[in-house]
Amino acid sequence: MSELQIPSYDPATLVRSIAVEIEAPASVVWQVLTDLDNYPNWNPFCISARSTLEIGAPVEMTLADYSGATETFAYTEFVCAVVPERLLSWELRPTEVSPHAARRDQIIEHIGENRCRYYSTDAFLGAAAQEIMDDSGAWVKRAFDETAVALKMQCETLHADRSRENLRSGTITRKG
């Protein structure tokens, strides 16, 4: 597999979720991550999302506010990397209104035919990166950790349901 094109980030302003091992193929994880319409059914942090997932396209999200300030808030970032079954990334770009910038990378690592590992990072960028990390890092970490666990559960359930259906219909599947 080729190396993923993920920039190097300052570890002092980088949030990384826990890594979860998922008992499902990377293709299932990719399907769940890119099925934005179903985010409300499993994702505790990004409770809705809309996008074409094309490079440069907006990702319009409704996020649960883990900081405790509100119940939800709207957020828009832009797709910056798509490597099927390996990487899905979007970024917050600085504007005249806000100099804040960040990039979220969701990484899928193949372990075996029916196993993979998932984690995500959020790199706070620009002059205000440390301030954003100080203000938001802890709750972003908690949100990303809970999302990783929820993704694992969603993917494993979907894969198990499909495997049972394949057995019932007579399709033989190999277990990795």
Side-chain angles (χ1 to χ4, degrees), residues 76-146:
T76 301
E77 295 190 6
F78 297 87
V79 177
C80 60
V82 177
V83 180
E85 299 183 16
R86 303 222 28 236
L87 175 68
L88 182 60
S89 305
W90 43 72
E91 64 188 356
L92 176 63
R93 300 174 182 160
T95 65
E96 289 180 10
V97 175
S98 172
H100 296 166
R103 176 173 160 149
R104 177 164 190 206
D105 294 304
Q106 297 182 88
I107 297 111
I108 304 166
E109 298 174 339
H110 295 253
I111 297 173
E113 183 180 346
N114 290 312
R115 290 183 66 223
C116 60
R117 180 179 300 109
Y118 167 88
Y119 66 93
S120 65
T121 62
D122 203 10
F124 301 120
L125 308 168
Q130 190 60 58
E131 177 185 342
I132 297 168
M133 182 69 170
D134 295 343
D135 291 344
S136 306
W139 69 258
V140 170
K141 167 84 168 124
R142 193 171 90 245
F144 283 10
D145 287 352
E146 289 182 10

Side-chain angles (χ1 to χ4, degrees), residues 24 39-40 123 138 154 162 168:
Y39 272 33
Q154 180 71 10
R162 287 180 180 167
R168 278 195 286 273

Side-chain angles (χ1 to χ4, degrees), residues 2-153:
S2 64
E3 283 296 311
L4 296 178
Q5 298 298 311
I6 301 173
S8 294
Y9 303 118
D10 179 352
T13 56
L14 179 73
V15 173
R16 180 182 163 131
S17 76
I18 58 171
V20 292
E21 289 196 12
I22 301 173
E23 297 293 329
S27 60
V28 172
V29 177
W30 184 255
Q31 177 190 356
V32 172
L33 282 179
T34 59
D35 183 4
L36 303 180
D37 289 341
N38 278 313
Y39 272 33
N41 297 323
W42 68 269
N43 194 322
F45 178 49
C46 184
I47 55 177
S48 78
R50 291 185 341 186
S51 180
T52 63
L53 295 179
E54 295 171 359
I55 298 294
V59 182
E60 298 169 346
M61 299 172 277
T62 301
L63 303 175
D65 188 352
Y66 276 62
S67 75
T70 63
E71 288 186 25
T72 62
F73 61 98
Y75 211 68
T76 301
E77 295 190 6
F78 297 87
V79 177
C80 60
V82 177
V83 180
E85 299 183 16
R86 303 222 28 236
L87 175 68
L88 182 60
S89 305
W90 43 72
E91 64 188 356
L92 176 63
R93 300 174 182 160
T95 65
E96 289 180 10
V97 175
S98 172
H100 296 166
R103 176 173 160 149
R104 177 164 190 206
D105 294 304
Q106 297 182 88
I107 297 111
I108 304 166
E109 298 174 339
H110 295 253
I111 297 173
E113 183 180 346
N114 290 312
R115 290 183 66 223
C116 60
R117 180 179 300 109
Y118 167 88
Y119 66 93
S120 65
T121 62
D122 203 10
F124 301 120
L125 308 168
Q130 190 60 58
E131 177 185 342
I132 297 168
M133 182 69 170
D134 295 343
D135 291 344
S136 306
W139 69 258
V140 170
K141 167 84 168 124
R142 193 171 90 245
F144 283 10
D145 287 352
E146 289 182 10
T147 298
V149 170
L151 177 68
K152 172 183 171 62
M153 291 178 6

